[in-house]
Amino acid sequence: MAEDPRDWEIETRAVRGGMARSPYGEISEALYLTQSFAYDSAEAADKRFSGEEPGFIYQRFGNPTTQMFEDRLALLEGAESCRATASGMAAVHVALTGLLRAGDHLVAGRALFGSCRWIVSELLPRFAVETTYVDATDLSAWKNAVRPNTKAFLIESPANPLLEVTAIGAVAEIAHAAGAKLVVDNVFATPIFQKPLALGADIVVYSATKHIDGQGRVLGGAILGAEPLMTETYKDILRHTGPALSPFNSWVLLKGLETLELRVRRQTDNAAKVADVIAAHSKTQQTVYCGRPDHPQAALIANQMTGGGNVIAFDLGSRAAAWRFLDALQIVDISNNLGDAKSMATHPCTTTHRSMPEAERLEIGLTEGWVRMSVGLEGAGDLSRDVSRALDAA
Ligand SMILES: *Cc1c(COP(=O)(O)O)cnc(C)c1O
């Protein structure tokens, strides 16, 4: 019997999933840098366009390299379908606009990535979609926010930057009872540590820019879910609005998936060690890391995640102390990306979350002393020494 890739272990799916070899038998996946495709006859073109015969038509609709990336990520996620996008924000934008119409209502967790908040707060209202923000950890808040026209729920879990975790299964039940779809931004957990679809979510989105590339090169994103929801909701909007991922970036991300599991596990081992150094230091007022038993939602994390991930948040009490810490780092970069092989740290209040009004920042507990660190693949000893020295200087 032929092997079913869905039965493979995750390591095998990461390396071999979605592979579609050309007649040349290449080992490394081919990069099909082509916009269009030629047909054997006018009739063949007709059949391709009508959908009667499968095949590619135009890069905006699909591309063989991009499809390999989509198929491999779908296998890793355990999703029936995956559509790649040019960035994580394109994925979030399409995920929401595909589900929502004028007059509909969205409920969103209030701790969201800055650009996601802009889409929800500034863009959707232009098209008459209203949103209620809730404390995502409070299940009664989700229930109370539901209206007759609620069509979608949006959460990020763990959330940026303070790693607040939402009970995905319980929120999915509330969404479904209301006739709404649950969209989960799973960037921080990665497909290695959390499977929102298996927990009850309808749609998962990724910024592939983060751990999936993981080497600081390209932007990319993805939307995943079950058929027929994916086709009904996203096929036309993706074809006609043009957020297609370039085949070159697809190829980079496809190769990124081969080592995703290895990298994320090593980053997580490093993060656990660095989090211990941070938590033990006298300058640290609070440390939040999903892999620590003192995370405020450790029980929930044990239920729905299989690893703590590579992001740590910690409070040094003031902006001045946070900046002194950042400026004293010698190995770790000051940068706002995450999931990279290189460790980096940022001051959310003045970078990633600077456009968030202060009142809203305080609502999620984001005061001026917080630092967010993405732990990379350097030696844990070097990272611990660098962080410890910078904390001394804070
Ligand atoms: C980075 C990020 C995004 C946006 O992704 P881009 O690829 O930069 O467009 C969305 N959500 C989360 C949680 C992110 O970290």
Side-chain angles (χ1 to χ4, degrees):
M1 253 209 344
E3 290 272 322
D4 183 343
R6 287 173 299 184
D7 298 333
W8 286 343
E9 292 168 277
I10 195 155
E11 296 88 341
T12 315
R13 281 181 261 162
V15 173
R16 295 193 173 266
M19 177 92 201
R21 280 202 174 120
S22 82
Y24 295 114
E26 66 281 352
I27 289 292
S28 175
E29 294 76 359
L31 168 50
Y32 292 94
L33 213 47
T34 181
Q35 296 157 342
S36 328
F37 301 83
Y39 315 101
D40 289 339
S41 66
E43 191 189 351
D46 174 44
K47 291 206 164 121
R48 197 77 67 84
F49 270 76
S50 72
E52 228 175 299
E53 279 183 3
F56 296 98
I57 293 173
Y58 192 55
Q59 198 184 107
R60 177 151 39 74
F61 299 2
N63 170 279
T65 307
T66 302
Q67 189 173 328
M68 283 190 267
F69 167 66
E70 292 170 335
D71 290 349
R72 185 167 293 175
L73 183 54
L75 274 173
L76 282 181
E77 188 70 31
E80 287 176 6
S81 169
C82 171
R83 295 302 309 262
T85 57
S87 68
M89 285 322 305
V92 172
H93 178 217
V94 170
L96 293 176
T97 50
L99 289 170
L100 296 163
R101 308 280 180 278
D104 288 349
H105 174 244
L106 169 74
V107 188
R110 65 190 179 190
L112 283 186
F113 183 73
S115 293
C116 300
R117 265 192 91 97
W118 185 87
I119 289 178
V120 168
S121 298
E122 305 292 330
L123 186 66
L124 292 182
R126 295 182 199 170
F127 301 92
V129 173
E130 280 186 25
T131 296
T132 306
Y133 283 111
V134 297
D135 171 355
T137 64
D138 178 358
L139 293 178
S140 61
W142 288 99
K143 278 194 196 122
N144 294 336
V146 168
R147 300 181 191 168
N149 56 340
T150 303
K151 290 291 159 51
F153 280 22
L154 172 66
I155 55 176
E156 195 181 299
S157 181
N160 186 18
L162 299 185
L163 308 173
E164 181 183 285
V165 175
T166 301
I168 294 173
V171 172
E173 272 180 32
I174 299 167
H176 297 157
K181 303 285 189 234
L182 173 61
V183 179
V184 177
D185 183 333
N186 203 38
V187 165
F188 276 58
T190 80
I192 307 303
F193 292 143
Q194 182 167 268
K195 297 276 200 284
L197 298 174
L199 294 166
D202 301 283
I203 298 294
V204 174
V205 292
Y206 284 106
S207 164
T209 314
K210 309 295 166 55
H211 309 74
I212 293 175
D213 177 357
Q215 290 152 86
R217 300 164 296 190
V218 302
L219 291 178
I223 308 174
L224 298 104
E227 290 294 355
L229 177 69
M230 284 290 295
T231 296
E232 280 168 7
T233 312
Y234 300 119
K235 185 177 171 199
D236 288 341
I237 198 169
L238 285 166
R239 284 184 164 212
H240 304 302
T241 66
L245 181 63
S246 96
F248 179 79
N249 289 2
S250 301
W251 184 84
V252 171
L253 296 169
L254 180 63
K255 302 308 278 181
L257 287 178
E258 290 188 349
T259 55
L260 177 69
E261 197 256 356
L262 276 177
R263 288 184 286 106
V264 166
R265 288 199 193 282
R266 175 61 72 83
Q267 287 172 333
T268 300
D269 290 347
N270 280 351
K273 291 175 187 154
V274 172
D276 286 345
V277 171
I278 293 169
H281 200 280
S282 61
K283 297 274 174 65
T284 310
Q285 302 200 347
Q286 200 187 335
T287 307
V288 184
Y289 174 57
C290 292
R292 281 177 67 85
D294 61 1
H295 187 290
Q297 297 161 289
L300 177 56
I301 290 170
N303 255 332
Q304 67 182 28
M305 291 176 69
T306 55
N310 79 314
V311 180
I312 307 167
F314 50 101
D315 183 6
L316 297 179
S318 69
R319 178 197 291 208
W323 282 21
R324 281 195 299 270
F325 168 82
L326 292 171
D327 291 342
L329 292 165
Q330 293 186 32
I331 296 174
V332 178
D333 288 307
I334 303 174
S335 185
N336 46 282
N337 198 11
L338 59 96
D340 202 274
K342 296 185 173 65
S343 296
M344 39 192 78
T346 192
H347 182 240
C349 278
T350 48
T351 61
T352 51
H353 289 66
R354 68 174 299 136
S355 64
M356 195 171 182
E358 196 188 353
E360 291 181 18
R361 256 195 270 138
L362 294 179
E363 257 179 28
I364 63 164
L366 181 56
T367 45
E368 296 263 338
W370 285 94
V371 173
R372 185 194 79 189
M373 180 168 172
S374 166
V375 180
L377 296 173
E378 302 93 337
D382 290 337
L383 290 176
S384 298
R385 191 178 62 254
D386 197 29
V387 165
S388 177
R389 185 174 48 211
L391 286 168
D392 291 343

mmCIF file of all heavy atoms in Angstrom, residues 269-281 284 287 289 291-294 312 384 387 391:
data_model
loop_
_atom_site.group_PDB
_atom_site.id
_atom_site.type_symbol
_atom_site.label_atom_id
_atom_site.label_comp_id
_atom_site.label_asym_id
_atom_site.label_seq_id
_atom_site.Cartn_x
_atom_site.Cartn_y
_atom_site.Cartn_z
ATOM 1 N N ASP A 269 14.469 25.170 24.083
ATOM 2 C CA ASP A 269 15.423 24.754 25.134
ATOM 3 C C ASP A 269 16.232 25.967 25.607
ATOM 4 O O ASP A 269 16.428 26.172 26.810
ATOM 5 C CB ASP A 269 16.411 23.696 24.593
ATOM 6 C CG ASP A 269 15.729 22.360 24.334
ATOM 7 O OD1 ASP A 269 14.581 22.175 24.791
ATOM 8 O OD2 ASP A 269 16.341 21.507 23.651
ATOM 9 N N ASN A 270 16.704 26.761 24.634
ATOM 10 C CA ASN A 270 17.466 27.967 24.987
ATOM 11 C C ASN A 270 16.613 28.946 25.782
ATOM 12 O O ASN A 270 17.073 29.537 26.759
ATOM 13 C CB ASN A 270 17.974 28.659 23.718
ATOM 14 C CG ASN A 270 19.226 28.007 23.139
ATOM 15 O OD1 ASN A 270 19.810 27.134 23.767
ATOM 16 N ND2 ASN A 270 19.624 28.444 21.961
ATOM 17 N N ALA A 271 15.356 29.126 25.338
ATOM 18 C CA ALA A 271 14.477 30.108 25.988
ATOM 19 C C ALA A 271 14.227 29.721 27.447
ATOM 20 O O ALA A 271 14.183 30.588 28.332
ATOM 21 C CB ALA A 271 13.155 30.235 25.229
ATOM 22 N N ALA A 272 14.069 28.425 27.711
ATOM 23 C CA ALA A 272 13.822 27.990 29.093
ATOM 24 C C ALA A 272 15.003 28.370 29.979
ATOM 25 O O ALA A 272 14.823 28.849 31.104
ATOM 26 C CB ALA A 272 13.582 26.478 29.122
ATOM 27 N N LYS A 273 16.224 28.189 29.444
ATOM 28 C CA LYS A 273 17.413 28.527 30.238
ATOM 29 C C LYS A 273 17.536 30.039 30.436
ATOM 30 O O LYS A 273 17.814 30.515 31.544
ATOM 31 C CB LYS A 273 18.673 27.989 29.541
ATOM 32 C CG LYS A 273 18.725 26.466 29.563
ATOM 33 C CD LYS A 273 19.910 25.920 28.773
ATOM 34 C CE LYS A 273 19.810 24.388 28.674
ATOM 35 N NZ LYS A 273 20.487 23.845 27.501
ATOM 36 N N VAL A 274 17.302 30.793 29.362
ATOM 37 C CA VAL A 274 17.413 32.252 29.463
ATOM 38 C C VAL A 274 16.320 32.792 30.386
ATOM 39 O O VAL A 274 16.562 33.708 31.188
ATOM 40 C CB VAL A 274 17.344 32.890 28.055
ATOM 41 C CG1 VAL A 274 17.247 34.407 28.147
ATOM 42 C CG2 VAL A 274 18.562 32.481 27.226
ATOM 43 N N ALA A 275 15.125 32.220 30.320
ATOM 44 C CA ALA A 275 14.021 32.681 31.189
ATOM 45 C C ALA A 275 14.389 32.481 32.654
ATOM 46 O O ALA A 275 14.056 33.321 33.507
ATOM 47 C CB ALA A 275 12.723 31.941 30.850
ATOM 48 N N ASP A 276 15.079 31.379 32.960
ATOM 49 C CA ASP A 276 15.502 31.149 34.349
ATOM 50 C C ASP A 276 16.488 32.223 34.800
ATOM 51 O O ASP A 276 16.410 32.710 35.934
ATOM 52 C CB ASP A 276 16.143 29.757 34.488
ATOM 53 C CG ASP A 276 15.104 28.636 34.451
ATOM 54 O OD1 ASP A 276 13.898 28.941 34.610
ATOM 55 O OD2 ASP A 276 15.498 27.468 34.258
ATOM 56 N N VAL A 277 17.419 32.582 33.913
ATOM 57 C CA VAL A 277 18.390 33.633 34.245
ATOM 58 C C VAL A 277 17.663 34.954 34.500
ATOM 59 O O VAL A 277 17.934 35.657 35.482
ATOM 60 C CB VAL A 277 19.419 33.798 33.090
ATOM 61 C CG1 VAL A 277 20.293 35.028 33.299
ATOM 62 C CG2 VAL A 277 20.257 32.534 32.946
ATOM 63 N N ILE A 278 16.709 35.272 33.626
ATOM 64 C CA ILE A 278 15.979 36.539 33.757
ATOM 65 C C ILE A 278 15.165 36.547 35.054
ATOM 66 O O ILE A 278 15.195 37.514 35.815
ATOM 67 C CB ILE A 278 15.069 36.756 32.525
ATOM 68 C CG1 ILE A 278 15.919 36.966 31.269
ATOM 69 C CG2 ILE A 278 14.119 37.923 32.743
ATOM 70 C CD1 ILE A 278 15.144 36.922 29.963
ATOM 71 N N ALA A 279 14.452 35.448 35.295
ATOM 72 C CA ALA A 279 13.553 35.397 36.456
ATOM 73 C C ALA A 279 14.331 35.470 37.772
ATOM 74 O O ALA A 279 13.834 36.001 38.768
ATOM 75 C CB ALA A 279 12.713 34.122 36.408
ATOM 76 N N ALA A 280 15.573 34.935 37.768
ATOM 77 C CA ALA A 280 16.351 34.885 39.013
ATOM 78 C C ALA A 280 17.064 36.206 39.305
ATOM 79 O O ALA A 280 17.594 36.390 40.403
ATOM 80 C CB ALA A 280 17.381 33.750 38.928
ATOM 81 N N HIS A 281 17.085 37.134 38.336
ATOM 82 C CA HIS A 281 17.881 38.351 38.518
ATOM 83 C C HIS A 281 17.129 39.384 39.365
ATOM 84 O O HIS A 281 15.921 39.560 39.198
ATOM 85 C CB HIS A 281 18.234 38.940 37.147
ATOM 86 C CG HIS A 281 19.395 39.877 37.202
ATOM 87 N ND1 HIS A 281 19.264 41.178 37.629
ATOM 88 C CD2 HIS A 281 20.703 39.702 36.905
ATOM 89 C CE1 HIS A 281 20.453 41.772 37.584
ATOM 90 N NE2 HIS A 281 21.345 40.897 37.140
ATOM 91 N N THR A 284 14.768 42.089 37.758
ATOM 92 C CA THR A 284 13.530 41.682 37.075
ATOM 93 C C THR A 284 12.359 41.722 38.042
ATOM 94 O O THR A 284 12.412 41.120 39.113
ATOM 95 C CB THR A 284 13.667 40.245 36.524
ATOM 96 O OG1 THR A 284 14.873 40.153 35.791
ATOM 97 C CG2 THR A 284 12.497 39.893 35.622
ATOM 98 N N THR A 287 8.561 37.957 35.174
ATOM 99 C CA THR A 287 8.956 37.232 33.963
ATOM 100 C C THR A 287 7.761 36.418 33.496
ATOM 101 O O THR A 287 7.144 35.716 34.307
ATOM 102 C CB THR A 287 10.109 36.247 34.275
ATOM 103 O OG1 THR A 287 11.156 36.963 34.920
ATOM 104 C CG2 THR A 287 10.641 35.597 33.003
ATOM 105 N N TYR A 289 6.846 33.526 30.724
ATOM 106 C CA TYR A 289 7.299 32.600 29.686
ATOM 107 C C TYR A 289 6.367 31.386 29.714
ATOM 108 O O TYR A 289 6.098 30.831 30.787
ATOM 109 C CB TYR A 289 8.766 32.180 29.940
ATOM 110 C CG TYR A 289 9.223 31.115 28.969
ATOM 111 C CD1 TYR A 289 9.155 31.344 27.593
ATOM 112 C CD2 TYR A 289 9.685 29.876 29.410
ATOM 113 C CE1 TYR A 289 9.549 30.363 26.688
ATOM 114 C CE2 TYR A 289 10.085 28.891 28.512
ATOM 115 C CZ TYR A 289 10.006 29.144 27.147
ATOM 116 O OH TYR A 289 10.371 28.171 26.256
ATOM 117 N N GLY A 291 6.735 28.414 29.012
ATOM 118 C CA GLY A 291 7.312 27.155 29.456
ATOM 119 C C GLY A 291 7.613 27.110 30.945
ATOM 120 O O GLY A 291 8.199 26.135 31.426
ATOM 121 N N ARG A 292 7.241 28.144 31.675
ATOM 122 C CA ARG A 292 7.536 28.159 33.122
ATOM 123 C C ARG A 292 6.278 27.836 33.929
ATOM 124 O O ARG A 292 5.190 28.289 33.600
ATOM 125 C CB ARG A 292 8.046 29.544 33.547
ATOM 126 C CG ARG A 292 9.497 29.797 33.206
ATOM 127 C CD ARG A 292 9.887 31.211 33.590
ATOM 128 N NE ARG A 292 9.870 31.417 35.033
ATOM 129 C CZ ARG A 292 10.889 31.119 35.846
ATOM 130 N NH1 ARG A 292 12.002 30.640 35.343
ATOM 131 N NH2 ARG A 292 10.796 31.327 37.141
ATOM 132 N N PRO A 293 6.459 27.101 35.026
ATOM 133 C CA PRO A 293 5.295 26.770 35.867
ATOM 134 C C PRO A 293 4.675 28.002 36.526
ATOM 135 O O PRO A 293 3.532 27.939 36.975
ATOM 136 C CB PRO A 293 5.869 25.809 36.919
ATOM 137 C CG PRO A 293 7.350 25.890 36.821
ATOM 138 C CD PRO A 293 7.689 26.423 35.481
ATOM 139 N N ASP A 294 5.417 29.153 36.567
ATOM 140 C CA ASP A 294 4.832 30.356 37.186
ATOM 141 C C ASP A 294 4.115 31.245 36.164
ATOM 142 O O ASP A 294 3.702 32.358 36.487
ATOM 143 C CB ASP A 294 5.890 31.146 37.969
ATOM 144 C CG ASP A 294 7.031 31.646 37.089
ATOM 145 O OD1 ASP A 294 7.010 31.399 35.855
ATOM 146 O OD2 ASP A 294 7.958 32.286 37.630
ATOM 147 N N ILE A 312 10.021 35.406 25.413
ATOM 148 C CA ILE A 312 9.964 35.704 26.848
ATOM 149 C C ILE A 312 9.615 37.187 26.989
ATOM 150 O O ILE A 312 10.139 38.013 26.235
ATOM 151 C CB ILE A 312 11.345 35.468 27.513
ATOM 152 C CG1 ILE A 312 11.871 34.069 27.209
ATOM 153 C CG2 ILE A 312 11.282 35.711 29.023
ATOM 154 C CD1 ILE A 312 13.354 33.888 27.564
ATOM 155 N N SER A 384 22.947 33.311 27.989
ATOM 156 C CA SER A 384 22.715 33.549 29.418
ATOM 157 C C SER A 384 23.684 34.606 29.942
ATOM 158 O O SER A 384 23.298 35.488 30.715
ATOM 159 C CB SER A 384 22.889 32.252 30.206
ATOM 160 O OG SER A 384 21.948 31.299 29.776
ATOM 161 N N VAL A 387 22.633 38.124 28.563
ATOM 162 C CA VAL A 387 21.418 38.634 29.210
ATOM 163 C C VAL A 387 21.706 39.007 30.664
ATOM 164 O O VAL A 387 21.252 40.041 31.161
ATOM 165 C CB VAL A 387 20.304 37.563 29.088
ATOM 166 C CG1 VAL A 387 19.159 37.854 30.045
ATOM 167 C CG2 VAL A 387 19.773 37.519 27.653
ATOM 168 N N LEU A 391 21.307 42.643 32.280
ATOM 169 C CA LEU A 391 20.432 42.877 33.441
ATOM 170 C C LEU A 391 21.196 43.593 34.552
ATOM 171 O O LEU A 391 20.651 44.486 35.210
ATOM 172 C CB LEU A 391 19.865 41.546 33.958
ATOM 173 C CG LEU A 391 18.758 40.913 33.101
ATOM 174 C CD1 LEU A 391 18.493 39.472 33.537
ATOM 175 C CD2 LEU A 391 17.474 41.728 33.177
#
